[in-house]
Amino acid sequence: MKSRIPVVLLACGSFNPITYMHLRLFEVARDHLHQTGMYQVTQGIISPVNDDYGKKDLVASQHRVAMARLALQTSDWIRVDPWESEQPQWMETVKVLRHHHSQLLRSPPPMEGSDPGQEPSAPTAAPQLKLLCGADILRTFQTPNLWEDAHIQEIVEKFGLVCVSRVGHDPKGYILDSPILRRYQHNIHLAREPVQNEISATYVRRALSQGQSVKYLLPDPVIAYIRDQGLYTKDSSWQATGTQKGQ
Amino acid sequence: MVLYPLLNSLFLCFSRFLALRVPAMRRARASPAIECSFSVSRYFPGRTGEHLTDNKEDVRVFHLEQQLQVLTMDKSEKTEVVLLACGSFNPITNMHLRLFELAKDYLNGTGKYRVIKGIISPVGDAYKKKGLIPAHHRIIMAELATKSSNWVEVDTWESLQKEWTETVKVLRHHQEKLEAGNCDHRQNSPVVERSGRKRKCLEERQDSSQKKSLEPKTKGVPEVKLLCGADLLESFGVPNLWKSEDITRIVADYGLICVTRDGSDAQKFIYESDVLWKHQSNIHLVNEWIHNDISSTKIRRALRRGQSIRYLVPDLVQEYIEKHDLYSSESEDRNVGVVLAPLQRNTAEAKS
């Protein structure tokens, strides 16, 4: 049996806070890649963005990492990696990919889904690291000055993209509109989420600040953490600076 | 000022005095009891609370009492609501659970209602819907799903009935249960009770519920309202699916909370129906901003195709489904060719 190419999925983003929709990206992407018969997804990595990114309402990365960790407690293949958030400043996505790729080459990941009783067949190929994102990110490639062309090329040429569909986006269209993306479209996997569930973190933050329930949109332990730490309340703009406030 | 501690104590005592007037069941749900001595004379030696003079200080105390009365009355004037969701729950999903949260926030936010309970009532197997797996599995999944909720629970009464039961009857059952429970509470309250009062209370309740009543509900009893999505509202239009008399009773006697992404479609539907239009004050449309498409049908389809349903249903539900291999092409073929129970019943009755 031809052995499948091992793949690790990396998702970069604010995760402010992490929601079930983020977690779904991984599940949908894994199903899609497995369906092709060519890949075996072995690991998922969530990499919350550095505080330096400066996005509005971004709470301190220590919180965003902690929340992701709580959300992933029950996952046996996805983990959070704080490396990007711990760097002295914000860095381009391609650099995060490069870092994690070199880490992977250094220590091969455990094989997910492999039968322990089975004899190892051909030596497994080196794992491929792919950037996991929603279709909206694909569109941002078109935004002037947001991404460097060389970086876009490196992402789709050297790594690869797994892009999960979102309502109101036409990923095929974005690919055709861009010469770089068109050239490497074989390395861009468009996964369709069969069950649309557009839980935007913006909505979650707003609901929290208005004292409304966000239960069933994100895991209970994350909700408890948000409550205990007093995050995303009406007057928590100080949170973005990362200072700790006494209860 | 010397008077301040006096005012403060009086404040506390009057609030306790007023709180005792409220039916015991509601009091149990009021804000934490303020412990204080009930005796007013302790603070006004030689004087009872009612005999306030024209003394300036007494007038100030009197005004305070009025404000207190308003505060306490405001709270006790809120209608307590129990949300009832009927459906297949085949399986239950995060979307079903979200409906409860959205409806509760909305109703509580109006200031007129206080949602005290949510009930999930899975339909009985006699409903004969295509793909409907046995009720006991659906009940267990709903119970697993609501384990982490402190206000939503599962009720098995409907699923245990031998014949399929119209939704209005389920509403009626739960409303009567609440009213009987209320009689119990009044029986046990410290306010004077004579023997036979409970029987009288229950008789009163039964009398009023048996009439196709336009009478206002007895105060102090929580109201059961039907919680649903837009699909249920629009299913009112499907021929023979609902008895028109039932629809009338549901919106007139109970009320509907409809959570929908597209409010305009729902509003149009209400506008185009005379019955719904007449009772529109009893139909609450709650906006669902999140594009949430987690239908049970899609969940079952994903399962048949070996796709992950993780994070669309609670983890415990997903594990239970996996452990018992509940959904497959075989399970989806259940009741194929069988007429849905309401269609069967309403068509037969129309013919007779």
Side-chain angles (χ1 to χ4, degrees):
Chain A
M1 190 184 91
K2 182 177 149 205
S3 59
R4 294 178 175 219
I5 301 167
V7 166
V8 173
L9 296 170
L10 172 73
C12 299
S14 310
F15 301 102
N16 187 36
I18 192 165
T19 69
Y20 280 138
M21 196 190 74
H22 296 126
L23 301 168
R24 274 301 290 167
L25 291 182
F26 283 89
E27 299 288 315
V28 171
R30 180 168 71 161
D31 280 347
H32 176 88
L33 290 178
H34 285 185
Q35 186 105 37
T36 64
M38 293 197 298
Y39 303 100
Q40 179 71 41
V41 177
T42 60
Q43 223 190 115
I45 304 173
I46 285 186
S47 177
V49 79
N50 197 292
D51 287 335
D52 195 40
Y53 188 48
K55 199 169 175 187
K56 186 174 172 292
D57 299 334
L58 197 67
V59 312
S61 62
Q62 72 182 99
H63 290 309
R64 291 181 287 115
V65 168
M67 289 188 284
R69 199 161 273 139
L70 286 169
L72 295 169
Q73 259 170 355
T74 54
S75 176
D76 59 0
W77 68 285
I78 312 168
R79 65 180 179 86
V80 61
D81 195 303
W83 180 84
E84 180 183 354
S85 66
E86 286 168 356
Q87 300 313 297
Q89 58 197 42
W90 174 77
M91 54 176 25
E92 291 89 342
T93 303
V94 74
K95 294 184 180 150
V96 184
L97 280 161
R98 287 180 202 151
H99 163 79
H100 285 287
H101 192 240
S102 66
Q103 291 293 107
L104 279 174
L105 294 176
R106 222 164 284 163
S107 51
M111 276 299 286
E112 268 296 320
S114 57
D115 187 349
Q118 210 175 38
E119 287 292 324
S121 47
T124 50
Q128 288 187 359
L129 179 68
K130 296 197 182 301
L131 183 65
L132 168 64
C133 64
D136 53 336
I137 301 301
L138 200 61
R139 184 166 75 170
T140 68
F141 283 177
Q142 295 169 1
T143 309
N145 299 323
L146 192 57
W147 301 82
E148 265 180 62
D149 279 351
H151 289 177
I152 297 177
Q153 173 149 349
E154 189 178 335
I155 290 172
V156 292
E157 184 187 6
K158 295 225 170 72
F159 299 102
L161 213 58
V162 183
C163 178
V164 178
S165 63
R166 278 194 88 161
V167 169
H169 290 275
D170 174 29
K172 280 208 180 86
Y174 305 150
I175 294 173
L176 295 174
D177 280 346
S178 152
I180 303 174
L181 298 183
R182 245 198 342 262
R183 184 140 48 114
Y184 297 101
Q185 58 184 293
H186 58 276
N187 218 6
I188 302 175
H189 305 268
L190 298 181
R192 251 183 64 79
E193 159 71 279
V195 181
Q196 289 295 337
N197 190 18
E198 302 277 318
I199 305 174
S200 91
T202 308
Y203 171 91
V204 170
R205 292 195 301 273
R206 194 178 316 130
L208 286 166
S209 76
Q210 291 172 359
Q212 289 170 337
S213 166
V214 293
K215 202 165 156 76
Y216 313 115
L217 299 178
L218 45 162
D220 285 343
V222 180
I223 299 176
Y225 181 90
I226 290 172
R227 188 188 55 227
D228 294 340
Q229 298 290 326
L231 305 180
Y232 306 119
T233 57
K234 252 205 184 85
D235 39 42
S236 60
S237 48
W238 50 266
Q239 290 282 0
T241 62
T243 52
Q244 200 77 27
K245 185 179 175 183
Q247 276 310 110
Chain B
M1 226 173 66
V2 161
L3 199 58
Y4 182 75
L6 262 171
L7 285 176
N8 205 37
S9 319
L10 199 73
F11 187 99
L12 295 173
C13 288
F14 269 110
S15 75
R16 177 124 168 105
F17 176 66
L18 288 165
L20 274 176
R21 284 187 162 152
V22 172
M25 185 164 93
R26 190 176 303 134
R27 180 159 58 85
R29 303 200 192 283
S31 55
I34 300 164
E35 290 304 314
C36 79
S37 162
F38 175 57
S39 164
V40 175
S41 62
R42 198 167 134 185
Y43 300 93
F44 283 89
R47 196 187 279 181
T48 61
E50 299 94 78
H51 300 302
L52 295 168
T53 67
D54 288 330
N55 188 304
K56 233 194 201 164
E57 282 141 358
D58 288 338
V59 170
R60 207 176 323 174
V61 162
F62 183 75
H63 284 311
L64 204 59
E65 183 204 337
Q66 291 286 66
Q67 281 167 19
L68 252 173
Q69 216 159 25
V70 167
L71 275 173
T72 320
M73 286 310 260
D74 267 354
K75 187 145 193 161
S76 65
E77 283 307 313
K78 286 191 192 183
T79 306
E80 290 188 329
V81 169
V82 171
L83 294 171
L84 173 72
C86 297
S88 308
F89 300 102
N90 185 38
I92 192 165
T93 71
N94 283 342
M95 189 195 73
H96 293 127
L97 300 163
R98 269 311 284 166
L99 294 189
F100 281 93
E101 301 292 310
L102 288 165
K104 178 176 170 198
D105 279 346
Y106 170 81
L107 287 174
N108 287 353
T110 62
K112 294 192 286 194
Y113 303 100
R114 196 150 62 88
V115 177
I116 59 170
K117 190 154 63 158
I119 300 175
I120 291 177
S121 176
V123 78
D125 292 331
Y127 190 50
K128 299 287 180 198
K129 193 172 179 184
K130 182 175 171 300
L132 192 69
I133 67 168
H136 72 268
H137 283 309
R138 294 183 285 116
I139 300 271
I140 290 174
M141 287 189 286
E143 281 173 350
L144 290 169
T146 51
K147 228 176 167 182
S148 70
S149 175
N150 59 11
W151 68 285
V152 183
E153 59 190 51
V154 182
D155 191 274
T156 55
W157 179 84
E158 183 183 354
S159 66
L160 291 172
Q161 302 310 300
K162 257 182 60 191
E163 301 288 319
W164 169 71
T165 310
E166 286 91 343
T167 301
V168 73
K169 294 199 175 112
V170 185
L171 282 160
R172 194 169 297 142
H173 163 82
H174 286 284
Q175 184 66 56
E176 284 171 4
K177 209 169 146 190
L178 282 169
E179 286 166 4
N182 186 254
C183 289
D184 278 337
H185 276 275
R186 285 171 59 174
Q187 172 77 24
N188 295 331
S189 85
V191 178
V192 173
E193 288 289 350
R194 282 185 212 92
S195 62
R197 186 183 168 99
K198 177 177 176 180
R199 184 168 29 92
K200 185 174 173 229
C201 177
L202 278 171
E203 278 167 0
E204 278 170 6
R205 297 272 181 266
Q206 275 163 15
D207 281 340
S208 69
S209 67
Q210 263 156 27
K211 295 176 198 151
K212 300 267 167 117
S213 72
L214 296 164
E215 289 168 16
K217 286 206 188 42
T218 319
K219 254 208 164 143
V221 183
E223 294 179 6
V224 178
K225 296 192 183 301
L226 187 64
L227 169 66
C228 65
D231 55 341
L232 189 140
L233 182 70
E234 284 167 23
S235 80
F236 283 169
V238 174
N240 288 323
L241 191 58
W242 299 81
K243 289 198 191 87
S244 57
E245 174 62 9
D246 283 3
I247 296 176
T248 308
R249 291 274 64 82
I250 289 172
V251 292
D253 299 347
Y254 301 100
L256 212 63
I257 321 287
C258 179
V259 180
T260 164
R261 191 171 56 246
D262 194 342
S264 58
D265 271 356
Q267 276 176 337
K268 180 162 177 272
F269 190 78
I270 293 169
Y271 168 75
E272 288 175 354
S273 154
D274 288 345
V275 164
L276 299 183
W277 178 258
K278 181 175 173 195
H279 299 283
Q280 61 182 290
S281 61
N282 226 3
I283 302 174
H284 305 264
L285 296 181
V286 182
N287 227 307
E288 177 196 18
W289 298 108
I290 282 177
H291 187 126
N292 188 329
D293 213 10
I294 312 179
S295 74
S296 302
T297 307
K298 294 195 175 186
I299 298 290
R300 297 196 305 273
R301 187 179 297 135
L303 286 164
R304 291 196 301 277
R305 296 175 183 183
Q307 291 170 337
S308 165
I309 60 166
R310 198 98 209 262
Y311 310 118
L312 300 174
V313 304
D315 282 348
L316 290 174
V317 175
Q318 186 261 324
E319 284 159 19
Y320 184 86
I321 292 174
E322 199 171 321
K323 182 172 169 192
H324 297 270
D325 198 18
L326 290 180
Y327 293 107
S328 60
S329 337
E330 288 74 38
S331 69
E332 199 63 17
D333 279 341
R334 290 170 70 94
N335 295 318
V336 153
V338 178
V339 179
L340 201 68
L343 293 174
Q344 172 98 4
R345 186 176 300 174
N346 295 333
T347 325
E349 282 181 16
K351 281 186 189 152
S352 64

